[in-house]
Amino acid sequence: MCASLRSVLTALSFACLSGAFTTGGALAQAKQEAPPQVGQPLQIKQIALTEKQIQGVLAAQKDIDAINSKQPDSVQPDPKVIAQLDAVVKKNGLASYDEYNDVIYNISLVLGGFDPATKKYVGSKAVVKQQIAQVEADKKMSANDKKQALDGLSMALKSPEPPIENKGNVDLVAKYYDRLAELLGDDRD
């Protein structure tokens, strides 16, 4: 797959908050909710993030990935796996794996609105519009890949994102932008 399409698809995952980051399906396993329909906002438990929570996610991610890499994506983790995940996040300052997922969702909501070139928050709608322009201008992308990318981005543009309720989250995510973008597989730049 060409690098441009991979970048667009990664960015699209942020814009849509699909939960399919580099966590080996952890979010999909932990939160077995029906995906939102086009035009319906994703229901997220928005929280005011703390620096301690972000540092906990950053510290726990390697161990979380190791545990989740051993689990099939389509299978609900058994209680032993959940206990392992809880132990990892507790060791890193979070109350539970549920809190970890809430923090990841809130970080992702904010990250989806960052322009990767300027590392400034512009909102996810502006980011998706920039990505559409990049795909349209890409002469190296095959016509099929370009169509798929544009279809996905157009769908993301039509799917309303919930507004960020805790504006302080933007500043915290900005402070840790490079590490969070790397952690969550953001290779948009």
Side-chain angles (χ1 to χ4, degrees):
M1 183 183 309
C2 77
S4 296
L5 181 59
R6 187 179 67 247
S7 296
V8 167
L9 294 176
T10 299
L12 182 59
S13 71
F14 279 108
C16 295
L17 292 173
S18 69
F21 308 108
T22 60
T23 59
L27 296 176
Q29 291 173 0
K31 303 275 188 184
Q32 293 292 325
E33 299 169 359
Q37 299 298 314
V38 173
Q40 293 180 344
L42 178 63
Q43 297 301 313
I44 293 177
K45 177 183 175 186
Q46 290 198 39
I47 58 174
L49 295 171
T50 66
E51 197 153 355
K52 180 181 175 186
Q53 288 171 319
I54 291 177
Q55 290 171 348
V57 164
L58 290 168
Q61 192 62 42
K62 184 176 178 182
D63 292 335
I64 294 291
D65 284 346
I67 294 168
N68 283 319
S69 69
K70 298 174 186 171
Q71 302 301 310
D73 284 343
S74 61
V75 176
Q76 186 97 10
D78 68 36
K80 290 179 184 176
V81 172
I82 296 295
Q84 287 178 316
L85 295 169
D86 271 334
V88 167
V89 298
K90 286 178 181 177
K91 178 178 86 175
N92 289 288
L94 299 168
S96 68
Y97 190 60
D98 285 338
E99 180 188 9
Y100 168 88
N101 281 314
D102 288 341
V103 172
I104 288 284
Y105 275 132
N106 281 269
I107 290 170
S108 299
L109 178 65
V110 175
L111 270 179
F114 268 81
D115 178 345
T118 64
K119 299 180 184 178
K120 302 285 185 209
Y121 184 82
V122 296
S124 65
K125 191 172 188 176
V127 171
V128 173
K129 286 180 179 180
Q130 290 173 351
Q131 293 164 351
I132 289 171
Q134 288 172 343
V135 170
E136 288 173 340
D138 190 336
K139 304 294 183 203
K140 296 178 183 177
M141 187 180 282
S142 74
N144 187 44
D145 286 348
K146 189 177 280 195
K147 180 184 178 335
Q148 287 178 352
L150 289 173
D151 288 348
L153 288 167
S154 294
M155 189 167 44
L157 200 56
K158 293 175 188 173
S159 299
E161 174 187 283
I164 295 173
E165 295 171 5
N166 302 290
K167 302 301 181 194
N169 290 357
V170 173
D171 293 333
L172 271 176
V173 170
K175 181 176 179 177
Y176 292 93
Y177 177 82
D178 291 328
R179 290 178 61 198
L180 290 168
E182 179 183 334
L183 172 81
L184 297 175
D186 184 7
D187 62 355
R188 294 180 286 173
D189 32 276

